[in-house]
Amino acid sequence: MSTESDSLAHHTELDRQLVTAVKGIRLLGSVSWPASAQISFLEQWKKGRASLPVIDYPRPGHAAAREQIQAIHDAADPQHPVGDYIRRSAESWRVATQLLDAVGTPELSTHSIQLFGRPGSRVPGSELSNVDAARHFISLADELDKDVLTSDADYCIPAPVLREELQNQLDSFFGAGVVRVEVDDQLISKAAAGATRIRLRSATCFTEYDRNQLLEHEAYVHTLTALNGRRQPNLASLGLSSPRITATQEGLAVFAELMTGSLDIERIKRISLRILAIDMALNGADFIEVFRYFLDAGQTEADSFSSAQRVFRGSPLGGGSAFTKDTVYLHGLLSVHTFFRWALKNRKLNLCRNLFAGKMSLHDVVSLESQFDSGYIAEPNWLPRWIRHANGLAAMLAFSLFANRIRLDRVEAEDLVLAL
């Protein structure tokens, strides 16, 4: 019978093999669109003769990697916490290879839904769906008095100026030269973050909210967890963005925006609109119909194209299929918020800090608690400022726990007046 140390050594080796096996799998990179697709489409759109974009995707084939991943999965012990972690990670990478082998076909949606869920998936702890949540936030955003909202046009930071600002702040936080900030003229989205590089879309006007969101969401969650994961002595896969951790990662990143006052109502609306757009695409809407949907919702032509291409990455553009990753943002936010409240109630706020030790899911941070306690998994080297201040975090969560017991539908107007 093997000892615990033998079991850990076995699973550490399996994890090393998994990192090697998935090295060539670039899920988002393989389904990304070139900037030229946007330029061409918008030129034709303005002339009144827009047609569906034509996107050529790489098709390297992942059968060999899939076989290796399956062997690693089968060699891990499902009864051991680290073995269970490796099996879950391997399974998500296996599905990712199937998704990439299905790019450009309707089958992509099946694998995407398996990885990321669908708009109709239930919100944790509720009978409501992601679609219900999205409609709620869009309705609230539309009802707000526009006079109290800051217009994006009121504050503009050019990409080169923002690059310099961010670079100075990241050098101060992570150390000089650890993370590079670059301006990229081939980027369709406003920004993208990796472990050592953050890219900004050129010729773009960024708002103060954009700047703060980039710091809290991209730098202090996505980049930070990747860098912490790369420092892990045993589980190197914690430095990789396994597809199954996407909901927790994006949820944690948006929660960080919320905690730092960086999340504005218009961003919540944009996230929510993508969920409804994915639902539209799955139900038959084509790329142009989804593009018009974003336009009608108030987005610019460039932003509408960017939003629509997120929905159709890797999918046929004629309707009935979608890349469903963007359903995880609200789902993840609500799950992470609930987890933090649960952690406070059960006096386990240390688990919230452990979430930043690498790329992991909420399930992982609970199931691997004993591995953190033993030192097999290292504590995070970097932590966002808001999580380091436990007193402030606890106060917010404590207030949230109690306030949720107040039923707004039972509040009388005079209750609010008499309370003053």
Side-chain angles (χ1 to χ4, degrees), residues 378-396:
E379 293 184 356
N381 184 64
W382 290 285
L383 283 169
R385 294 179 180 89
W386 62 269
I387 195 74
R388 293 203 305 262
H389 301 300
N391 286 343
L393 174 63
M396 187 283 292

Side-chain angles (χ1 to χ4, degrees), residues 7 53 60 64 130 246 280 323 347 361 374 385 391 400-401 404:
S7 184
N130 293 323
T246 304
M280 289 173 58
F323 186 69
R347 300 183 181 181
S361 69
S374 70
R385 294 179 180 89
N391 286 343
S400 176
L401 278 171
N404 281 347

Side-chain angles (χ1 to χ4, degrees), residues 33-44 53 187-188 201 301-306:
W33 292 15
S36 58
Q38 182 184 53
I39 295 170
S40 176
F41 177 85
L42 292 181
E43 284 179 351
Q44 296 303 309
L187 199 61
I188 291 181
R201 187 173 66 196
E301 291 179 346
D303 286 343
S304 294
F305 182 92
S306 176

Side-chain angles (χ1 to χ4, degrees), residues 207-221:
T207 69
E208 188 173 5
Y209 269 116
D210 289 333
R211 178 185 61 195
N212 295 337
Q213 288 159 7
L214 283 169
L215 278 172
E216 302 300 339
H217 184 117
E218 305 290 354
Y220 298 149
V221 174

Side-chain angles (χ1 to χ4, degrees), residues 209 213 254 257-258 260-265 267-268 271 333:
Y209 269 116
Q213 288 159 7
V254 179
E257 296 178 42
L258 182 65
T260 57
S262 306
L263 183 63
D264 63 298
I265 191 66
R267 174 154 167 75
I268 297 179
I271 291 171
L333 171 60

Side-chain angles (χ1 to χ4, degrees), residues 73-110:
H73 170 279
D74 295 344
D77 180 2
Q79 302 305 314
H80 192 281
V82 180
D84 176 63
Y85 161 81
I86 290 172
R87 286 171 67 91
R88 288 172 178 269
S89 298
E91 174 61 14
S92 76
W93 284 113
R94 186 190 67 79
V95 175
T97 65
Q98 292 179 310
L99 183 152
L100 292 176
D101 285 349
V103 291
T105 74
E107 289 182 23
L108 177 136
S109 290
T110 300

Side-chain angles (χ1 to χ4, degrees), residues 224-226 228-230 232 238-239 249 354-360 380:
L224 180 147
T225 51
N228 282 335
R230 288 186 175 190
Q232 287 296 333
L238 288 174
Q249 268 286 299
N354 289 348
L355 265 177
F356 293 91
K359 304 282 188 180
M360 64 184 73

Side-chain angles (χ1 to χ4, degrees), residues 43-326:
E43 284 179 351
Q44 296 303 309
W45 171 264
K46 291 173 182 177
K47 294 176 182 177
R49 51 173 186 263
S51 59
L52 296 178
V54 177
I55 309 296
D56 293 321
Y57 297 104
R59 297 176 181 273
H62 295 87
R66 188 156 52 245
E67 186 175 339
Q68 293 175 346
I69 292 167
Q70 187 64 52
I72 294 166
H73 170 279
D74 295 344
D77 180 2
Q79 302 305 314
H80 192 281
V82 180
D84 176 63
Y85 161 81
I86 290 172
R87 286 171 67 91
R88 288 172 178 269
S89 298
E91 174 61 14
S92 76
W93 284 113
R94 186 190 67 79
V95 175
T97 65
Q98 292 179 310
L99 183 152
L100 292 176
D101 285 349
V103 291
T105 74
E107 289 182 23
L108 177 136
S109 290
T110 300
H111 305 305
S112 180
I113 289 169
Q114 191 174 352
L115 288 176
F116 308 119
R118 61 190 309 147
S121 298
R122 185 178 61 84
V123 172
S126 170
E127 296 304 316
L128 301 174
S129 70
N130 293 323
V131 169
D132 296 324
R135 287 174 176 158
H136 168 78
F137 288 116
I138 292 171
S139 175
L140 276 180
D142 289 342
E143 288 174 4
L144 285 176
D145 185 351
K146 298 301 180 184
D147 290 338
V148 305
L149 300 179
T150 302
S151 170
D152 284 353
D154 292 341
Y155 197 96
C156 175
I157 309 173
V161 174
L162 181 61
R163 189 211 71 79
E164 185 173 352
E165 287 185 20
L166 294 181
Q167 189 66 71
N168 290 335
Q169 288 181 275
L170 297 186
D171 284 348
S172 175
F173 185 88
F174 291 111
V178 175
V179 180
R180 304 189 316 276
V181 184
E182 302 174 353
V183 176
D184 188 342
D185 62 1
Q186 294 300 307
L187 199 61
I188 291 181
S189 59
K190 273 193 171 184
T196 59
R197 183 175 64 148
I198 294 176
R199 292 177 292 153
L200 308 175
R201 187 173 66 196
S202 63
T204 299
C205 186
F206 292 88
T207 69
E208 188 173 5
Y209 269 116
D210 289 333
R211 178 185 61 195
N212 295 337
Q213 288 159 7
L214 283 169
L215 278 172
E216 302 300 339
H217 184 117
E218 305 290 354
Y220 298 149
V221 174
H222 292 329
T223 294
L224 180 147
T225 51
L227 289 173
N228 282 335
R230 288 186 175 190
R231 295 171 64 94
Q232 287 296 333
N234 297 304
L235 293 182
S237 63
L238 288 174
L240 302 178
S241 293
S242 166
R244 74 182 186 87
I245 59 89
T246 304
T248 297
Q249 268 286 299
E250 298 298 356
L252 185 61
V254 179
F255 183 72
E257 296 178 42
L258 182 65
M259 286 298 302
T260 57
S262 306
L263 183 63
D264 63 298
I265 191 66
E266 288 301 312
R267 174 154 167 75
I268 297 179
K269 179 181 177 180
R270 289 194 299 273
I271 291 171
S272 300
L273 287 170
R274 293 175 197 161
I275 294 173
L276 298 190
I278 290 170
D279 195 50
M280 289 173 58
L282 290 174
N283 285 297
D286 66 16
F287 177 86
I288 294 177
E289 290 175 295
V290 171
F291 170 77
R292 286 197 181 107
Y293 171 72
F294 286 113
L295 270 182
D296 293 342
Q299 295 189 6
T300 66
E301 291 179 346
D303 286 343
S304 294
F305 182 92
S306 176
S307 296
Q309 67 86 28
R310 292 177 68 103
V311 172
F312 285 95
R313 286 176 287 185
S315 299
L317 306 188
S321 301
F323 186 69
T324 62
K325 172 182 175 286
D326 282 357

